[in-house]
Amino acid sequence: MPRVFSNPFTPFAYETVAQDDIEMEDKTTVQRPGEEEVGDESSLNVEDKEVMQQMGKRQQLARRFNIFTIFGLSMTLLSSWEAMGAAMGVGLTAGGPVALIYGLMFTLSGTLACAASIAEMASICPISGAQYHWTYIFAPKRFRVFITFIQGWVTVFAWQATITSLTFLMASQLQGIVILNYPSYIFERWHTTLLMWLVVLISFIINVWGIRLLPMFELFSGSLHVLLFIVLFIVMLVMGRNASAKFVFTDFVNETGWENRGVVWFIGLLPSIWCIVGFDGAIHLSEETSNSALTIPKVIIATVFVNGFFAWVFLLLCLFSISDVAAVLETPTGYPIIEIMRQVTKTIPGSTAIMSFLLSITMSAMFGTLASVSRLSWAFARDDGLPFSGYFKHVDGRYKVPTRAISLVSIVIVLLSLINIGSSTALNAILSLSTIALYTSYIIPISCLIVKRLSTKQKIYSSSAGHAEITDDKLVFGPWNLGRYGLFINIYGVCYASLLVPFMALPTSLPVTATTMNYAGPIFLLVLGFAAVDYLVRGRKIFVGPTRER
């Protein structure tokens, strides 16, 4: 028979070996030979202790982040206005300014609904595993273990593709700046790969040996992110008045080959989607953040709102700054933002200086993203979701970080970067997974929360940290919640995300070739297939959902 954990602060259902009878149960983790018992209870306050008790987890990582430092990390991790500058090329050809300006307003509304729903669950259970952990809590009992396993793999693959994309973006934009300054430079794909390795190496060093400096560094970077926006706002407002208001607010451009204007408009949303996706990054550092049940939800909402506003204003400035659309779309640097900055400043050194500052923010985002992805991978290993979980769940006793999980994420980036030497199309095919997989990782737990909301009679919206409760008859939310409006916001978030996912899988131009093909859909199906097979071969024997360690 399963054992019921009697601690009053442990109201979540956790699985035992018997997977067909789950109700408020726990599976106490047995320490394997050779595993090191690592803990850092000294960094816990009373609320965080209650939260960790509630979740049944030992405090293994140091709580280095407060509301200011984690907000700085979250702001730079999203870097929405910088990301919009890097990705706006697709929108300029698919819908043009109309798709970008009004599309970003639409995506911001839907993203805020998804973010608020995720924040609500983060307040109930602020844990590094995040989406897969919440899926287990809210999913129907009969299918919760299988759905949780699939969700875990989807989220891990999504974030691995995202951090590899960020590394590739950093390296290729560096090459773009070189091309801008030295037109005779011959672009080589292996140069990109070497630059990716350098970015990964620096990020690894910061995340392991420089981990004590990371919170303050991210606070500084978050401040720079805001300050640089203000400076560019003034510069572009004064120097970048090139395009007309008619072009910015009414021009519809279709160079995609698609005939349906609605399809074109939705394809043109891709830059807007990409620049504010990944808002869950801070959640994966919940176990390293003080007062996480309140801090993390506030940071998520503030990050999406502020970054979304910055991105929209920056987009307006960029569109008004364009004097030659053809030069922007056909720039040899590969990135429209580099050519736009050249048209604003009318000098190559000026454009180079601005892009250098932008890349410094991107590098900071890389540090935070590696921290986030490694904690997610570590959490999935802690619950025996990854192959060789016993090895990857290790936490370094000196630095209180999951060094092996950090190494795993870094090595995967390096291996994927090798694909670029043979074919950049093949690498882009893998990287295209990030947005569609991240959106799916939001849809699953929010949908489970909606079902739980509808099926539970008693819902309580006032509780303190560590006192949330989820049973068949009662749903007690965390200290930050959406109240009685939550169901409508949850539904809007799921409808919005579900509407956009199919368009993320469409090719951005016709006719379809090996280069123009959008591989996001097929790659995502391969991920789902891999996860299902892994569950049948390995997972169903050892994975029982989130496990209780205390």
Side-chain angles (χ1 to χ4, degrees):
M1 290 292 292
R3 292 166 288 132
V4 179
F5 196 84
S6 60
N7 191 307
F9 300 123
T10 53
F12 298 141
Y14 290 90
E15 181 61 286
T16 62
V17 176
Q19 298 183 15
D20 56 349
D21 183 19
I22 310 169
E23 182 61 40
M24 301 294 292
E25 301 159 358
D26 75 288
K27 170 180 175 286
T28 303
T29 302
V30 178
Q31 188 173 336
R32 296 181 176 89
E35 277 191 12
E36 183 181 354
E37 178 85 15
V38 178
D40 190 26
E41 301 286 342
S42 61
S43 59
L44 285 174
N45 58 33
V46 174
E47 286 188 354
D48 292 326
K49 284 181 180 179
E50 292 182 349
V51 166
M52 294 305 288
Q53 278 187 302
Q54 168 189 271
M55 298 185 299
K57 296 297 185 182
R58 291 182 292 114
Q59 183 67 42
Q60 300 185 65
L61 309 175
R63 291 192 181 252
R64 299 182 175 91
F65 292 92
N66 57 39
I67 190 169
F68 300 107
T69 53
I70 195 66
F71 181 57
L73 181 144
S74 186
M75 286 287 286
T76 54
L77 192 151
L78 216 57
S79 295
S80 294
W81 65 269
E82 297 93 336
M84 174 56 77
M88 65 188 298
V90 174
L92 286 172
T93 58
V98 168
L100 289 168
I101 290 294
Y102 303 110
L104 183 54
M105 295 169 65
F106 169 62
T107 55
L108 181 56
S109 72
T111 302
L112 275 170
C114 290
S117 302
I118 292 294
E120 191 172 44
M121 289 184 278
S123 185
I124 294 173
C125 184
I127 195 166
S128 297
Q131 288 98 309
Y132 84 81
H133 206 107
W134 305 329
T135 297
Y136 182 84
I137 293 173
F138 294 112
K141 296 177 184 177
R142 184 178 177 184
F143 307 107
R144 63 169 38 149
V145 175
F146 175 71
I147 296 174
T148 298
F149 189 80
I150 299 298
Q151 168 76 84
W153 270 121
V154 167
T155 312
V156 167
F157 270 109
W159 272 105
Q160 184 66 61
T162 299
I163 191 172
T164 307
S165 298
L166 184 60
T167 312
F168 179 77
L169 175 70
M170 179 78 187
S172 55
Q173 282 192 325
L174 276 171
Q175 283 183 289
I177 294 175
V178 173
I179 292 171
L180 177 68
N181 286 271
Y182 303 97
S184 60
Y185 166 72
I186 300 175
F187 176 87
E188 297 285 354
R189 288 193 296 271
W190 64 269
H191 293 175
T192 312
T193 297
L194 287 178
L195 288 171
M196 289 178 70
W197 291 359
L198 178 62
V199 171
V200 172
L201 177 61
I202 296 172
S203 302
F204 181 85
I205 291 172
I206 293 295
N207 267 268
V208 177
W209 297 293
I211 188 62
R212 291 182 177 87
L213 302 175
L214 183 61
M216 293 309 299
F217 184 82
E218 293 295 342
L219 178 61
F220 171 78
S221 300
S223 303
L224 183 61
H225 167 76
V226 175
L227 181 62
L228 184 59
F229 171 80
I230 295 172
V231 171
L232 274 182
F233 175 81
I234 296 171
V235 170
M236 297 176 75
L237 196 63
V238 173
M239 303 178 65
R241 302 293 293 275
N242 297 321
S244 66
K246 181 179 181 298
F247 167 76
V248 173
F249 293 106
T250 64
D251 263 27
F252 186 90
V253 179
N254 182 10
E255 297 181 6
T256 64
W258 289 93
E259 295 182 1
N260 188 295
R261 289 167 67 94
V263 172
V264 173
W265 190 81
F266 274 101
I267 290 175
L269 296 183
L270 290 176
S272 301
I273 295 169
W274 192 69
C275 78
I276 46 178
V277 76
F279 53 79
D280 58 307
I283 303 171
H284 305 300
L285 292 161
S286 294
E287 295 177 49
E288 296 169 73
T289 303
S290 299
N291 301 314
S292 55
L294 268 175
T295 297
I296 294 298
K298 291 178 180 178
V299 164
I300 294 171
I301 298 301
T303 297
V304 173
F305 186 81
V306 174
N307 265 306
F309 174 74
F310 281 3
W312 192 77
V313 173
F314 183 70
L315 177 60
L316 272 179
L317 293 170
C318 285
L319 292 175
F320 272 113
S321 298
I322 296 174
S323 58
D324 186 346
V325 177
V328 169
L329 295 176
E330 298 170 7
T331 173
T333 65
Y335 288 95
I337 186 63
I338 298 178
E339 174 59 24
I340 290 174
M341 290 304 151
R342 191 195 66 78
Q343 292 183 14
V344 169
T345 62
K346 298 178 175 58
T347 65
I348 289 178
S351 176
T352 302
I354 291 174
M355 288 305 302
S356 297
F357 280 112
L358 291 181
L359 286 181
S360 69
I361 302 297
T362 305
M363 193 70 209
S364 301
M366 184 67 193
F367 300 157
T369 306
L370 180 57
S372 180
V373 182
S374 62
R375 296 332 184 255
L376 169 64
S377 303
W378 165 76
F380 198 38
R382 179 175 58 180
D383 291 319
D384 296 321
L386 289 182
F388 310 107
S389 288
Y391 180 81
F392 291 116
K393 70 174 66 173
H394 169 82
V395 174
D396 185 272
R398 178 180 178 185
Y399 296 105
K400 300 295 188 299
V401 293
T403 50
R404 293 174 185 174
I406 297 171
S407 300
L408 173 65
V409 174
S410 302
I411 290 170
V412 171
I413 297 173
V414 169
L415 293 176
L416 289 175
S417 71
L418 293 173
I419 299 175
N420 182 62
I421 297 177
S423 170
S424 58
T425 302
L427 178 62
N428 286 325
I430 296 172
L431 302 188
S432 64
L433 171 70
S434 59
T435 49
I436 193 170
L438 279 173
Y439 263 58
T440 304
S441 78
Y442 304 149
I443 292 171
I444 295 174
I446 298 174
S447 299
C448 292
L449 175 60
I450 291 171
V451 172
K452 191 67 178 176
R453 258 192 157 109
L454 292 172
S455 61
T456 305
K457 293 182 179 179
Q458 185 180 10
K459 290 176 277 288
I460 300 174
Y461 299 105
S462 57
S463 71
S464 56
H467 291 264
E469 185 176 349
I470 302 161
T471 66
D472 287 340
D473 303 317
K474 184 188 295 185
L475 179 54
V476 181
F477 288 86
W480 193 98
N481 60 78
L482 299 170
R484 301 184 184 279
Y485 299 102
L487 178 62
F488 302 103
I489 296 173
N490 297 159
I491 291 173
Y492 176 58
V494 167
C495 290
Y496 158 80
S498 301
L499 171 67
L500 293 190
V501 163
F503 291 101
M504 296 179 195
L506 293 179
T508 55
S509 63
L510 297 176
V512 177
T513 65
T515 302
T516 62
M517 171 66 180
N518 185 345
Y519 294 91
I523 294 293
F524 182 64
L525 291 177
L526 283 176
V527 169
L528 292 179
F530 168 82
V533 171
D534 186 41
Y535 180 79
L536 293 174
V537 174
R538 183 185 62 87
R540 65 188 178 90
K541 301 175 184 177
I542 62 173
F543 183 77
V544 293
T547 56
R548 190 173 302 286
E549 298 176 324
R550 52 191 307 162

